[in-house]
């Protein structure tokens, strides 16, 4: 049995018998005014972090969500895209699609504003999406891509890139891991399916996105996720796994390379009113401005009167690239 089959088997079981805490964290779940999330959706929250951000969801966007789980994030996206077929959920597991459909019916009873027809549920594979080219404003996945091995991950990212409109956003939440993992862990299909042994370092994750063509990357959150300890897992050392929330935007690739925002800020503290690097970056004296890592490095090189902060791993837009 391949690791992909082991994954679909695991989520078939998780659809038939919801397993609280199966592969998720205990992050607080977004609540919005007038939104009532059915308990079963909370029990079937098999993600880490959130992919739903109001900032991405203006003007009734067309949303694609791959790997539907119990449907909680489908409902949260529909909150912002209240139109027939505004959200499309794709999953390869029939039982998960069926569970999600049932849960959305419950959500309809609990929420006056929600109609099940806002969400289309479609059978399909992340590596071969049944979605038209350039038809989606916001594509999302939560805790699925970390399971994929490199070639499959490349295909899944390429598919997301294909279906997004120009300037569309791919928003994701996934575990990452900066430590090397041994082959026993890597090749354990069940641990991989449980989002415990497939994760890669953040730099590699970002590179796979920029290699696919995404010109802007935003790291929106980074937090601890799990540890794999020698007394519970086949490892000699304690392995720390983190989870990230990240957006990859289908902007054209800048000539000098992608803009990767990791939460750095630049502040000019010289004697002039402002600092202008004549390349599009104007820093008013003592006003913080969010900058991508490329610009942060360039500004630090250009002037001794500019303070550049460390990455906070928390970026919510704005600033300059
Ligand atoms: C870890 S769960 C995450 C569910 C949901 N995103 C959440 O946050 O609760 C992974 C989901 O991806 C689905 N899945 C597994 N392999 C898939 C594939 N190759 N293509 C599409 N969906 C897949 C599973 O059925 C399951 O719904």
């Amino acid at each position: 049995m391949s690791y992909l089959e082991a994954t679909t088997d695991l989520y078939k079981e998780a659809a038939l018998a919801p397993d609280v805490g199966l592969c998720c964290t205990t992050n607080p779940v977004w609540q919005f005014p007038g939104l009532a999330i059915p308990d079963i959706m909370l029990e079937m929250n098999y993600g880490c972090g959130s992919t739903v951000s109001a900032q991405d969801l203006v003007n009734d966007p067309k949303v694609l969500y791959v790997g539907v789980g119990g449907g909680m994030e489908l409902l949260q996206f529909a909150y912002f895209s209240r139109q027939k077929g505004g959200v499309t959920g794709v999953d390869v597991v029939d039982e998960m699609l069926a569970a999600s459909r049932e849960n959305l019916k419950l959500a309809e009873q609990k929420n006056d504003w929600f109609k099940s027809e806002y969400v289309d549920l479609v059978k399909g594979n992340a590596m071969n999406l049944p979605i038209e080219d350039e038809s989606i404003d916001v594509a999302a996945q939560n805790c699925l891509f970390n399971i994929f091995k490199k070639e499959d991950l490349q295909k899944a990212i390429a598919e997301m890139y294909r279906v997004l409109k120009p300037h569309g956003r791919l928003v994701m939440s996934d575990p990452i891991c900066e430590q090397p993992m041994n082959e026993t862990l890597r090749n354990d299909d069940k641990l991989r399916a449980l989002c415990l042994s497939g994760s890669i370092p953040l730099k590699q994750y970002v590179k796979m996105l920029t290699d696919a063509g995404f010109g802007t990357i935003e790291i929106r959150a980074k937090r601890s996720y799990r540890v794999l300890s020698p007394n519970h897992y086949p490892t000699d050392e304690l392995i720390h796994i983190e989870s990230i929330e990240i957006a990859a935007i289908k902007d054209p690739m800048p000539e000098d390379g992608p803009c990767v925002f990791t939460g750095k800020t630049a502040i000019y503290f010289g004697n002039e009113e402002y600092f202008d690097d004549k390349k599009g970056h104007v820093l008013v004296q003592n006003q913080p401005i969010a900058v991508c890592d490329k610009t942060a490095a360039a500004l630090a090189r250009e002037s001794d009167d500019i303070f550049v902060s460390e990455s906070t791993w928390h970026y919510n837009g704005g600033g300059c690239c």
Side-chain angles (χ1 to χ4, degrees):
M1 188 195 291
S2 74
Y3 84 96
L4 291 171
E5 287 164 340
T7 302
T8 50
D9 278 2
L10 185 111
Y11 288 104
K12 180 179 164 179
E13 280 170 34
L16 295 172
D19 184 355
V20 183
L22 172 71
C23 72
C24 61
T25 58
T26 48
N27 288 327
V29 165
W30 280 124
Q31 302 287 349
F32 303 118
L35 170 67
I37 301 175
D39 289 345
I40 183 76
M41 282 188 174
L42 296 170
E43 286 162 22
M44 293 180 73
N45 177 11
Y46 300 144
C48 56
S50 175
T51 61
V52 184
S53 295
Q55 74 210 60
D56 301 321
L57 299 168
V58 288
N59 302 328
D60 296 327
K62 281 273 180 198
V63 178
L64 168 69
Y65 189 84
V66 180
V68 297
M72 185 186 79
E73 288 202 312
L74 295 173
L75 177 65
Q76 289 171 323
F77 275 118
Y79 182 88
F80 292 94
S81 181
R82 299 180 185 192
Q83 52 181 318
K84 190 166 184 289
V87 180
T88 302
V90 171
D91 205 292
V92 81
V93 178
D94 289 317
E95 292 76 2
M96 199 58 97
L97 287 166
S100 205
R101 194 167 284 118
E102 281 309 304
N103 296 350
L104 289 167
K105 278 191 206 144
L106 289 177
E108 195 168 353
Q109 289 162 20
K110 283 173 121 2
N111 293 275
D112 289 348
W113 57 269
F114 178 66
K115 298 191 178 75
S116 284
E117 67 179 30
Y118 292 171
V119 181
D120 283 338
L121 288 166
V122 181
K123 173 138 187 193
N125 195 314
M127 267 82 85
N128 184 17
L129 292 172
I131 304 289
E132 276 180 35
D133 293 0
E134 301 198 351
S135 59
I136 299 293
D137 296 294
V138 176
Q141 72 80 24
N142 193 335
C143 241
L144 171 61
F145 283 12
N146 75 96
I147 297 170
F148 295 151
K149 293 187 179 171
K150 189 168 179 191
E151 272 187 17
D152 293 329
L153 179 56
Q154 276 167 333
K155 279 189 213 157
I157 292 172
E159 278 296 86
M160 291 294 216
Y161 189 87
R162 175 182 69 75
V163 302
L164 278 170
K165 296 177 188 170
H167 304 289
R169 289 155 185 236
L170 168 58
V171 283
M172 301 186 286
S173 177
D174 247 335
I176 53 151
C177 182
E178 301 301 331
Q179 286 167 263
M181 279 193 208
N182 64 48
E183 287 305 299
T184 310
L185 282 170
R186 286 281 185 224
N187 294 324
D188 185 317
D189 293 346
K190 177 138 193 242
L191 290 181
R192 190 173 267 277
L194 286 167
C195 303
L196 289 176
S197 68
S199 52
I200 56 176
L202 178 58
K203 232 182 179 167
Q204 265 180 44
Y205 196 106
V206 168
K207 185 162 185 318
M208 292 191 73
L209 294 168
T210 56
D211 283 353
F214 289 98
T216 305
I217 306 293
E218 302 179 355
I219 314 288
R220 295 177 169 179
K222 180 153 91 81
R223 47 177 89 88
S224 283
Y225 176 63
R226 291 285 166 89
V227 289
L228 303 182
S229 60
N231 54 334
H232 291 121
Y233 296 95
T235 169
D236 292 334
E237 60 169 1
L238 192 75
I239 296 177
H240 178 215
I241 304 176
E242 294 167 290
S243 69
I244 50 164
E245 292 172 8
I246 183 168
I249 302 167
K250 193 175 173 180
D251 289 337
M253 184 61 69
E255 273 178 22
D256 58 352
C259 294
V260 181
F261 288 90
T262 62
K264 289 191 175 181
T265 299
I267 305 178
Y268 169 63
F269 57 88
N271 293 326
E272 309 301 323
E273 231 175 277
Y274 61 87
F275 172 88
D276 184 351
D277 74 349
K278 313 271 191 250
K279 292 173 196 149
H281 309 116
V282 177
L283 278 66
V284 177
Q285 195 200 59
N286 222 5
Q287 295 294 311
I289 188 158
V291 284
C292 73
D293 285 9
K294 193 175 55 178
T295 298
L299 290 173
R301 274 195 306 271
E302 267 184 49
S303 168
D304 291 335
D305 292 339
I306 295 175
F307 167 84
V308 177
S309 78
E310 296 295 321
S311 302
T312 58
W313 312 113
H314 177 72
Y315 174 74
N316 266 350
C320 58
C321 186

